[in-house]
């Protein structure tokens, strides 16, 4: 046996021993439910009330919708709920950031429109931007975007609680490439687990379908903790329904939001929706 082969086998052995130790789950251990990052509503169990999670720490959620379905406005709602804990704009949506910060990456819009989107959560909460870090990555290539985001997450891991990536498909060259799509989703799963953060990914739906684009969408559908779907109301295009398409936990009830006169998203109470529309 050559020295190189012995070194390779020793390296593999160390790697597999690490996987053996880190991946083992003791069936008898009492593992607590992951803490909630963002919720919508509550459910009752054994006379106790619990938040219904849109997303928990250590997991990722996926937001899907056709083009022009106000995805960036919903991302603003999520950001406002997380940053401000509660808001007159977000209704029953609440954040549990516990002093942690939010990073928001946009891969599709230029600086002007990205800034308009990033301003909304600050307008809604009245906060400054010291704990809301925003980046427009449109001018960079897929490889640079992916590498930068990974660098940023680990560089700021101490104070980071939640991440929004608006345009996850722009982190790969071809969202229909099975290998590239699988590797990208593996990156996201590793980030969330190692850093104990929640990541919300925004992706387009196929035209005329409720399926997310490409093989990337298929992998996200399988691996996401929660899949959120937006649908613009046919009679009033200013009104958007938010659906819980998939959830590994207790699913939140569908709800609506609209854009007010100031251009800010506002959760609409079900009763108000019935009365006004």
């Amino acid at each position: 046996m050559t020295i190189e082969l012995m070194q390779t086998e020793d390296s593999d052995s160390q790697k597999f021993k690490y996987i053996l130790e880190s991946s083992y789950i003791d069936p008898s251990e009492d593992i607590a439910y992951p803490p909630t990052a963002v919720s919508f509503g509550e459910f009752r169990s054994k006379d106790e009330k619990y938040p219904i999670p849109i997303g928990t720490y250590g997991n990722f959620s996926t937001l899907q919708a056709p083009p022009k379905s106000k995805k960036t406005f919903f991302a603003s709602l999520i950001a406002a709920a997380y940053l401000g804990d509660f808001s007159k704009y977000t209704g029953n949506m609440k954040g549990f950031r516990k002093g942690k910060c939010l990073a928001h990456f946009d891969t599709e819009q230029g600086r002007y429109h990205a800034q308009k989107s990033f301003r909304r959560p600050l307008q809604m909460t009245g906060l400054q931007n010291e704990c809301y870090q925003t980046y427009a990555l449109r001018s960079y290539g897929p490889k640079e975007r992916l590498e930068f985001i990974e660098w940023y997450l680990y560089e700021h891991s101490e104070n980071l609680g939640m991440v929004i990536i608006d345009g996850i498909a722009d982190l790969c060259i071809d969202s229909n490439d099975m290998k590239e799509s699988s590797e990208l989703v593996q990156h996201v799963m590793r980030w969330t687990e190692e850093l104990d953060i929640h990541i919300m990914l925004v992706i387009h739906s196929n035209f005329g379908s409720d399926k997310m684009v490409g093989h990337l969408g298929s992998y996200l559908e399988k691996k996401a903790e929660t899949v959120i779907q937006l649908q613009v109301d046919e009679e009033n295009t200013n009104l958007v329904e938010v659906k819980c398409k998939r959830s590994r936990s207790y699913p939140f009830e569908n709800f609506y939001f609209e854009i007010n006169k100031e251009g800010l998203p506002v959760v609409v109470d079900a009763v108000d929706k019935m009365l006004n529309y």
Side-chain angles (χ1 to χ4, degrees):
M1 182 180 296
T2 66
I3 294 177
E4 288 184 358
L5 182 58
M6 290 175 63
Q7 290 176 336
T8 300
E9 289 186 349
D10 183 62
S11 176
D12 286 343
S13 177
Q14 293 298 319
K15 178 176 70 174
F16 294 141
K17 285 180 180 178
Y18 171 77
I19 294 175
L20 178 72
E21 295 175 1
S22 62
S23 66
Y24 176 70
I25 300 295
D26 183 352
S28 63
E29 183 183 355
D30 185 15
I31 299 179
Y33 191 83
T36 301
V38 180
S39 70
F40 187 85
E42 297 177 326
F43 72 95
R44 183 179 293 274
S45 177
K46 297 180 180 179
D47 297 324
E48 292 286 340
K49 287 185 178 180
Y50 299 92
I52 299 173
I54 290 178
T56 61
Y57 290 105
N59 287 297
F60 77 91
S61 56
T62 301
L63 169 62
Q64 66 163 105
K68 310 304 178 183
S69 297
K70 299 179 173 61
K71 294 187 296 298
T72 59
F73 283 94
F74 184 75
S76 296
L77 273 173
I78 291 289
Y82 188 74
L83 289 171
D85 294 328
F86 64 91
S87 167
K88 66 179 182 180
Y89 297 95
T90 58
N92 289 329
M93 189 187 302
K94 296 182 179 180
F96 302 83
R97 72 184 183 99
K98 300 178 181 178
K100 296 289 187 176
C101 295
L102 167 63
H104 193 159
F105 302 94
D106 186 294
T107 67
E108 297 183 350
Q109 302 181 104
R111 293 178 63 85
Y112 173 80
H113 289 98
Q115 187 191 55
K116 285 186 66 175
S117 299
F118 295 149
R119 275 180 174 171
R120 291 189 204 114
L122 301 179
Q123 291 175 277
M124 295 159 71
T125 60
L127 298 174
Q128 301 300 314
N129 65 347
E130 67 272 2
C131 215
Y132 180 45
Q133 302 303 312
T134 52
Y135 303 90
L137 303 178
R138 179 182 179 180
S139 61
Y140 301 95
K143 184 173 182 291
E144 290 175 304
R145 296 184 189 118
L146 177 63
E147 291 177 345
F148 169 74
I149 290 175
E150 177 160 272
W151 171 84
Y152 180 93
L153 298 185
Y154 284 89
E155 188 74 10
H156 299 81
S157 60
E158 184 176 347
N159 296 317
L160 193 62
M162 186 169 180
V163 176
I164 299 173
I165 303 176
D166 194 344
I168 183 62
D170 292 325
L171 270 59
C172 61
I173 297 173
D174 183 2
S175 61
N176 271 312
D177 184 282
M178 294 181 68
K179 182 176 183 294
E180 188 179 19
S181 297
S182 175
E183 290 177 350
L184 177 53
V185 176
Q186 288 295 326
H187 274 288
V188 174
M189 291 192 293
R190 176 171 55 82
W191 295 340
T192 54
E193 182 169 346
E194 291 183 356
L195 301 176
D196 194 30
I197 58 178
H198 184 81
I199 301 180
M200 174 168 283
L201 308 173
V202 183
I203 188 171
H204 289 294
S205 297
N206 288 315
F207 183 77
S209 169
D210 68 347
K211 293 184 177 180
M212 292 178 261
V213 295
H215 286 297
L216 176 60
S218 298
Y219 284 118
L220 292 175
E221 180 101 33
K222 294 174 184 176
K223 302 297 185 181
E225 174 188 27
T226 310
V227 178
I228 305 159
Q229 188 173 24
L230 302 186
Q231 182 173 323
V232 177
D233 189 89
E234 293 182 359
E235 297 181 2
N236 184 349
T237 57
N238 193 46
L239 191 66
V240 181
E241 184 175 12
V242 182
K243 300 180 178 180
C244 184
K245 184 180 178 184
R246 301 271 191 280
S247 178
R248 296 189 187 277
S249 57
Y250 197 98
F252 63 83
E253 293 185 1
N254 295 355
F255 63 95
Y256 291 82
F257 73 90
E258 64 179 0
I259 311 304
N260 69 9
K261 294 179 181 179
E262 287 73 41
L264 300 174
V266 182
V267 171
V268 178
D269 184 89
V271 175
D272 293 337
K273 189 262 179 185
M274 293 175 64
L275 290 175
N276 296 325
Y277 300 100

